[in-house]
Amino acid sequence: MRSEAEGENISLSGNSDIDSIMLSDPYRLTVHFLADSHEVYPMMDMYQPVIDWVDPDLHIFKVSERINVSEQRPRDLSYSDTSLPSTAVMIFLHEEGMLGCERIQQAKVHFEKSPWKFHHSEQVSRGRVNPYPYNSLDFFYTSEDLPLWAVRQVHYGKEHIRMVIFASEENWDDMVHFYKLIIGTDPELLRDDFCLFTVHTHTHYDIQFALKRLNGDTKPRPLECVKLQFRVTDVGHIVPLFPNVCKPLSDTRWETKDHDGNSIVLEVTGCLLPTVNKSLESNVTRKRSDRSDVSDRSRGSSRSSSETTSSHSGKTIEMSGFYV
């Protein structure tokens, strides 16, 4: 099924120089998982094969040891059976081979193994028959405190890694505005129930962030063991517009919550703004072909900075596609 078909393959064209430099940063959005010390390495073993399908060297997922008792709270009994985990990771893959369904089938086999469990299956939208019967409509999970995971088939263009936040119906408009402030751009696709941003573009894949509105009585359940971290150039001008308190975690990192209660970390990267200004100034006197050099230098600087960023436990060790 072409889930969010209109948003599967957004063509990035006509971007400004600022947008191009920001899109070149592979760590503009990272996902942080909190786990007890004995769960850190098993969690990496669970998720790493999924990441390998796209890029084994991708480091946007980080596992941190939970060192604070407050980071593990009892289950909130106010959420009913109609609640849905608020966060999902969706992998959009090309199919290769004669049958055209090998990778999707491998994904299904992977998610059928313990400790993975089936969570729910998407309904085919608008009552239409699924034209791609081998494409997975299923979501899987490993714990009530961790995101849903799913694999979809992409039919043209690049592959995608998409982080999705399910938003409540009553907060939908506020949620869209909140993430527009943080990401700093308008979404590439905006419908009355779906909103899509591309936060990083690679030669073979894109990293996307999306909001999906839940309908009716279904409510999103914030996950206390998951934090989405966005890189921003400054927080001073957007913090007054936030719905909740924004508290400092360090000299460069701040934490707040969105309108539905999801934890969001903002990493202020002071090196990004001068890079952007320098590129704009250079374009006044340089030819258009010089822009690629500026983007390359920015990409190298961003990668170096990311690899030295400390995690929640104060210690970061690179493990294949993960940091721990």
Side-chain angles (χ1 to χ4, degrees):
M1 174 183 176
R2 297 189 180 188
S3 180
E4 317 308 344
E6 297 89 338
E8 274 192 8
N9 298 279
I10 293 294
S11 175
L12 297 176
S13 60
N15 293 313
S16 70
D17 296 315
I18 294 178
D19 291 337
S20 297
I21 292 174
M22 295 177 73
L23 286 170
S24 71
D25 181 4
Y27 306 106
R28 190 178 173 194
L29 169 60
T30 53
V31 184
H32 295 247
F33 303 106
L34 302 179
D36 293 333
S37 58
H38 66 280
E39 297 175 336
V40 170
Y41 287 96
M43 185 180 296
M44 294 192 304
D45 292 338
M46 288 188 303
Y47 291 159
Q48 186 60 51
V50 183
I51 301 168
D52 287 348
W53 295 333
V54 178
D55 185 354
D57 295 323
L58 187 64
H59 303 294
I60 63 170
F61 298 95
K62 302 181 181 182
V63 181
S64 299
E65 181 180 346
R66 182 165 35 208
I67 59 176
N68 223 334
V69 177
S70 63
E71 291 173 344
Q72 187 175 17
R73 70 176 189 180
R75 174 68 53 214
D76 189 340
L77 300 179
S78 64
Y79 290 103
S80 66
D81 293 337
T82 58
S83 68
L84 188 73
S86 63
T87 309
V89 181
M90 300 178 66
I91 310 294
F92 289 81
L93 299 175
H94 284 301
E95 282 296 5
E96 300 173 353
M98 295 181 62
L99 297 179
C101 59
E102 288 91 342
R103 298 176 77 193
I104 298 296
Q105 292 302 316
Q106 289 176 7
K108 287 185 176 181
V109 171
H110 176 76
F111 287 133
E112 288 172 356
K113 297 178 181 178
S114 179
W116 291 96
K117 294 171 284 188
F118 172 79
H119 190 275
H120 75 281
S121 183
E122 276 188 342
Q123 296 180 350
V124 178
S125 62
R126 300 181 180 90
R128 294 177 296 186
V129 175
N130 178 16
Y132 303 98
Y134 291 104
N135 202 354
S136 173
L137 301 176
D138 300 335
F139 282 92
F140 298 85
Y141 72 115
T142 58
S143 168
E144 294 288 345
D145 296 319
L146 294 171
L148 303 176
W149 290 72
V151 173
R152 300 288 186 268
Q153 183 177 351
V154 63
H155 306 282
Y156 55 93
K158 295 181 181 181
E159 297 186 331
H160 313 304
I161 298 177
R162 180 180 297 173
M163 266 63 76
V164 181
I165 287 185
F166 296 105
S168 62
E169 193 168 29
E170 58 267 31
N171 289 332
W172 172 249
D173 291 335
D174 290 330
M175 290 282 280
V176 171
H177 181 67
F178 176 81
Y179 285 100
K180 283 172 63 175
L181 285 174
I182 290 178
I183 297 174
T185 61
D186 289 328
E188 291 140 53
L189 176 66
L190 178 59
R191 299 200 303 256
D192 59 359
D193 65 345
F194 183 72
C195 177
L196 179 73
F197 301 85
T198 295
V199 294
H200 170 62
T201 182
H202 184 272
T203 304
H204 305 296
Y205 61 86
D206 290 331
I207 298 175
Q208 301 176 335
F209 172 77
L211 296 169
K212 176 67 177 177
R213 192 192 73 192
L214 299 177
N215 295 322
D217 296 330
T218 306
K219 303 295 182 183
R221 173 169 52 82
L223 303 179
E224 292 300 315
C225 293
V226 180
K227 299 178 188 290
L228 269 60
Q229 177 171 299
F230 294 86
R231 280 187 169 177
V232 298
T233 57
D234 183 33
V235 294
H237 67 292
I238 58 176
V239 165
L241 304 175
F242 287 174
N244 295 297
V245 173
C246 190
K247 62 180 181 180
L249 301 177
S250 68
D251 291 341
T252 59
R253 298 172 68 245
W254 299 70
E255 183 174 357
T256 187
K257 292 182 181 292
D258 64 20
H259 294 77
D260 281 340
N262 300 290
S263 294
I264 303 299
V265 176
L266 304 178
E267 180 188 14
V268 181
T269 56
C271 62
L272 182 58
L273 187 57
T275 302
V276 173
N277 290 338
K278 183 177 180 180
S279 70
L280 295 178
E281 182 178 352
S282 300
N283 285 333
V284 176
T285 57
R286 294 184 181 182
K287 294 181 181 180
R288 186 177 183 86
S289 59
D290 290 338
R291 294 175 182 173
S292 60
D293 295 332
V294 177
S295 180
D296 289 341
R297 289 197 298 272
S298 174
R299 185 182 298 109
S301 174
S302 299
R303 185 178 299 273
S304 175
S305 173
S306 171
E307 290 174 352
T308 59
T309 300
S310 61
S311 65
H312 294 271
S313 62
K315 182 183 293 185
T316 302
I317 306 172
E318 183 177 349
M319 292 291 294
S320 189
F322 276 93
Y323 282 109
V324 57

